[in-house]
Amino acid sequence: MSATTRSASAAAARRGELAAFLRLRRERITPQDVGLPGGPRRRTPGLRREEVAERAGVGVAWYTWLEQGRAINPSVQVLDAIAGALLLGPAEREHLRRLADVPGAAGSAESPAAEIPVPPGAKALHTILDSLNPLPAGLVGARYDVLAFNDAYAALDPRMVLLPPPERNVLWRLFTAERESQPLVDWEREVSFMVGHLRAEFGRRLQDPQWQAYIRRLSAASPLFAEMWARHDVLAPATHRKAFRTVDGREVTITATGFTPAEAPGTKLWIYTPDGPDAERVLGELLARYRRLGAAGLVAAGAPGRPGG
């Protein structure tokens, strides 16, 4: 395949992503959201194309071509007007600019090299992770590959640690593992957050074959992931609270805070801080049991009162 053909294919794929994103964002807005009358005879879910065009101050035909994936080049000002018409949030606005390939859009250039994390065996990284105990902490890639972690992280989710390193992927496990082994209490809320973040990261790497293969494999393995992926929801990573179900049957609530290492912009160092003294006590007890029993022993022991507990 020639460079010209590859470039044309990449542009067509990007325009297809843009068209789907615009259509789905338009369909999720009700007329009432923007002060328009609903009416009983509306057959279009959400807003009509002409309503979006009018709100954005652009031509209906032009907006229709954009939503059909035609080769047109909107300006930053026009994209911002469309973003306002569609009530897009900051992460969605950035994603829109990236898909439209406007000059200067953050992360618009695809750079596989940015995927390379800090080497998991690097002494400095492990020193940082170890110093954070008893706070669970792990280095996670943009595709949610778990690249490195400390003992407290392993104690909170020992089943992840038992997987071979190439298979330690948070989303793959959450969408394919048996329900009883799932570590998240509010599963749907958390995976929606992660899929939205994954979609934003994918927008930076539309032509990366490894990313394309990952999305295909996970979509084939999980119809639910495929359904959520097709929504084109976009979210930015943010500090948030979430609850884990531990291997011994307890629930522990933490606050997850992500930091981007300067040496590896495609990764996040996630640190979990306990949400109160009870959570702090549970994390401390889990860490002590993990160091005594190991990951396999912790899983085998299970909850108190179970066989082996």
Side-chain angles (χ1 to χ4, degrees):
M1 182 184 294
S2 68
T4 302
T5 303
R6 284 196 300 270
S7 178
S9 176
R14 178 181 51 75
R15 291 196 303 270
E17 286 281 320
L18 174 62
F21 179 68
L22 288 173
R23 177 177 54 81
L24 289 166
R25 296 288 74 76
R26 172 174 60 82
E27 291 177 353
R28 76 176 181 179
I29 302 173
T30 67
Q32 291 79 6
D33 289 337
V34 294
L36 295 173
R41 301 183 63 183
R42 294 182 69 95
R43 291 177 296 176
T44 303
L47 297 182
R48 300 185 179 100
R49 285 172 175 167
E50 56 266 31
E51 291 169 335
V52 174
E54 182 178 355
R55 282 174 49 78
V58 300
V60 176
W62 186 91
Y63 177 79
T64 300
W65 294 340
L66 191 64
E67 207 175 277
Q68 289 174 343
R70 298 198 190 186
I72 54 179
N73 299 307
S75 67
V76 173
Q77 292 77 13
V78 168
L79 285 175
D80 286 347
I82 292 173
L86 294 174
L87 307 180
L88 301 187
E92 293 172 316
R93 286 173 178 261
E94 181 183 334
H95 188 65
L96 176 65
R97 287 189 177 195
R98 213 161 31 237
L99 294 182
D101 198 28
V102 298
S108 60
E110 296 174 11
S111 177
E115 294 294 313
I116 301 174
V118 177
K123 182 178 179 181
L125 171 62
H126 282 284
T127 299
I128 293 170
L129 289 171
D130 290 342
S131 69
L132 288 168
N133 284 309
L135 300 181
L139 186 71
V140 180
R143 286 198 306 260
Y144 283 93
D145 296 306
V146 180
L147 305 170
F149 48 85
N150 63 7
D151 285 355
Y153 186 101
L156 188 58
D157 191 7
R159 291 185 178 92
M160 178 69 76
V161 177
L162 292 173
L163 295 172
E167 298 178 18
R168 292 173 183 163
N169 181 274
V170 177
L171 275 176
W172 186 274
R173 181 172 167 227
L174 290 175
F175 277 102
T176 62
E178 297 178 351
R179 181 176 295 274
E180 56 267 22
S181 70
Q182 295 286 358
L184 295 175
V185 175
D186 193 346
W187 185 92
E188 185 170 356
R189 173 181 175 273
E190 288 303 318
V191 297
S192 296
F193 167 84
M194 285 186 267
V195 171
H197 181 215
L198 188 74
R199 172 62 78 173
E201 293 292 341
F202 181 67
R204 297 181 171 93
R205 305 164 176 87
L206 292 175
Q207 296 305 305
D208 187 320
Q210 293 184 347
W211 272 75
Q212 293 171 347
Y214 172 76
I215 298 300
R216 285 196 302 268
R217 288 196 305 269
L218 189 48
S219 296
S222 171
L224 181 55
F225 171 80
E227 177 188 328
M228 295 178 72
W229 184 251
R231 299 173 190 168
H232 284 253
D233 290 335
V234 177
L235 294 169
T239 297
H240 62 289
R241 296 172 70 241
K242 61 182 178 179
F244 280 85
R245 186 175 294 106
T246 69
V247 291
D248 58 7
R250 292 180 287 180
E251 291 186 7
V252 58
T253 302
I254 58 89
T255 296
T257 307
F259 301 90
T260 301
E263 300 85 353
T267 68
K268 284 284 185 186
L269 177 62
W270 286 101
I271 302 173
Y272 298 162
T273 53
D275 188 27
D278 288 343
E280 184 176 0
R281 175 180 53 79
V282 171
L283 290 177
E285 291 173 359
L286 282 172
L287 177 57
R289 291 185 69 200
Y290 171 78
R291 287 174 169 170
R292 187 174 73 252
L293 302 174
L298 202 58
V299 172
R306 292 182 182 175

